[in-house]
Amino acid sequence: MDSINRVLLDRIQRSFPLSARPYDVLSEGLGIDGEEVRRRIHALKERNLLRQISAIFNTGALGYRSSLVAISVPEGEVERAGAVVNLYPGVSHNYLRPGNYNMWFTIAVPPGQSLEKTVEELAEKAGGWPTLILPALKKYKLAVVLDVLEEGEAGEESSGAPVVEALAPFQPTEDNVRVVRCIQEDLPLVENPFEVWANSLGITEAGLLKLISQWVSYGFIRRFAAVLNHRQVGFSANGMVVWSCPAERLDGCGRVLSSHAEVSHCYCRPSYPDWPYNLYAMVHARREEECHSIAEKLGNAIGLKDYRILFSTREFKKIRLKLFWS
């Protein structure tokens, strides 16, 4: 991957231009034109380095309830349990990780549906094994930006941390739901992509761009940006680091962890008698040894040395969650 592609990936995973001709905007300072940007983005998708460019929604702001879930599945039942869990459309990620609780998945249920009942029914179908429901009680950081640049290459500053909690209630009108369903898909790779979307919705391009910008500012959309394939761009070691943190120190430790660039997500989650961990940080590195070094550095920063790193040993499912699927 050459320098131009690395800079492009850095730019578009931070924030994609909300402009009538966004690929022209992306070409600025690179010595290429918008058509060459589109050609390069197409090639990056063909190589599976780039998953898609779209709105990344705040599911909670849209009325969904979501959670991380862990199930303790016997080794001989893993295949069947994974297949059952994957069938639910609200399950976007499902990984095998070492330990007693070995199947970890994220789930989102639509407005009006019970998260707890849905997980209970799903876990029962999967075999009725011990299950932990681990919703985010507090969110300290939500921003996956992988450092794809090499030394000496100039990246761009992020436009700001995504809004963690929505600043206004989302109105799930028929028109708004149609917009959500449209802009959660991959942006068309044409000169005026937002015009294509706007035409399909029966609104003006300017109106759609204004609405997307408003939704970003309200916190309905966390970012309008690209999602990279972590492993394909070299970040094959992705570890979930967990600590048992005293309740009175959670907010302070969460803020410290969030200040580290290696941390993409940081949450407070409930603990259980057989799972005492309540502070979570996702770290991304090129090798497992790097993850261990990062975790040690993070532990030193917050003064908590007792931690675990859970690496994904198998990927059962990894897709973009489709909102308002029914």
Side-chain angles (χ1 to χ4, degrees):
M1 184 161 55
D2 66 16
S3 178
I4 291 177
N5 280 350
R6 286 193 293 271
V7 173
L8 268 179
L9 286 179
D10 181 72
R11 287 182 179 181
I12 63 179
Q13 69 171 324
R14 293 177 185 276
S15 180
F16 189 85
L18 294 177
S19 164
R21 296 169 66 98
Y23 302 109
D24 288 349
V25 176
L26 287 170
S27 73
E28 293 173 2
L30 295 179
I32 59 176
D33 59 17
E35 183 177 352
E36 174 66 8
V37 168
R38 295 198 305 276
R39 187 193 69 76
R40 285 173 174 269
I41 288 177
H42 175 76
L44 290 167
K45 288 181 178 179
E46 288 288 300
R47 293 169 58 191
N48 200 29
L49 299 174
L50 174 58
R51 290 182 183 274
Q52 73 176 67
I53 300 168
S54 64
I56 300 170
F57 281 96
N58 178 347
T59 54
L62 272 59
Y64 280 71
R65 291 189 64 206
S66 60
S67 183
L68 178 66
V69 178
I71 305 182
S72 179
V73 183
E75 186 176 348
E77 298 292 330
V78 163
E79 294 292 337
R80 191 185 74 82
V84 169
V85 168
N86 288 353
L87 284 175
Y88 185 72
V91 170
S92 56
H93 297 66
N94 186 7
Y95 300 106
L96 193 66
R97 289 176 167 137
N100 183 32
Y101 286 97
N102 55 345
M103 185 167 291
W104 294 77
F105 63 91
T106 56
I107 186 170
V109 301
Q113 186 171 318
S114 167
L115 171 68
E116 292 76 13
K117 185 171 178 57
T118 301
V119 172
E120 181 183 341
E121 292 174 350
L122 195 56
E124 188 62 32
K125 290 177 184 177
W129 314 112
T131 301
L132 304 176
I133 302 178
L134 300 160
L137 301 179
K138 195 153 188 180
K139 302 168 186 175
Y140 300 110
K141 187 177 185 181
L142 294 161
V144 181
V145 177
L146 302 176
D147 184 6
V148 296
L149 299 174
E150 294 188 353
E151 188 175 352
E153 292 175 342
E156 294 194 353
E157 294 295 324
S158 296
S159 56
V163 178
V164 173
E165 302 298 341
L167 304 179
F170 177 78
Q171 301 299 325
T173 63
E174 184 178 344
D175 286 343
N176 281 348
V177 168
R178 287 180 65 238
V179 173
V180 171
R181 286 174 173 161
C182 175
I183 68 175
Q184 70 183 343
E185 301 295 340
D186 195 15
L187 187 70
L189 202 52
V190 298
E191 191 172 49
N192 298 90
F194 293 104
E195 182 180 48
V196 174
W197 272 355
N199 289 342
S200 73
L201 293 166
I203 60 179
T204 66
E205 178 188 53
L208 177 60
L209 286 168
K210 180 179 178 181
L211 184 63
I212 294 174
S213 295
Q214 287 177 336
W215 284 7
V216 171
S217 66
Y218 293 160
F220 303 155
I221 296 174
R222 297 201 185 281
R223 296 185 348 268
F224 195 99
V227 177
L228 308 190
N229 186 325
H230 295 180
R231 296 184 184 277
Q232 292 299 110
V233 296
F235 290 82
S236 57
N238 303 299
M240 185 170 70
V241 191
V242 296
W243 290 267
S244 177
C245 181
E248 67 275 9
R249 294 195 57 211
L250 276 166
D251 288 351
C253 290
R255 285 192 294 269
V256 172
L257 292 175
S258 299
S259 70
H260 289 261
E262 300 94 337
V263 173
S264 62
H265 296 69
C266 186
Y267 303 100
C268 164
R269 300 186 186 277
S271 60
Y272 292 84
D274 58 343
W275 185 258
Y277 307 102
N278 56 355
L279 183 60
Y280 291 63
M282 280 300 305
V283 298
H284 303 274
R286 300 185 185 278
R287 297 179 304 279
E288 284 196 7
E289 310 88 80
E290 285 184 61
C291 269
H292 284 287
S293 296
I294 293 167
E296 183 178 5
K297 180 177 76 171
L298 296 175
N300 290 334
I302 60 176
L304 295 174
K305 305 296 180 66
D306 185 15
Y307 59 84
R308 291 181 61 179
I309 308 176
L310 281 70
F311 291 102
S312 302
T313 58
R314 183 173 171 187
E315 184 179 287
F316 288 106
K317 187 178 185 181
K318 186 173 184 180
I319 63 169
R320 288 294 307 282
L321 176 67
K322 296 301 178 81
L323 299 169
F324 300 109
W325 63 76
S326 60

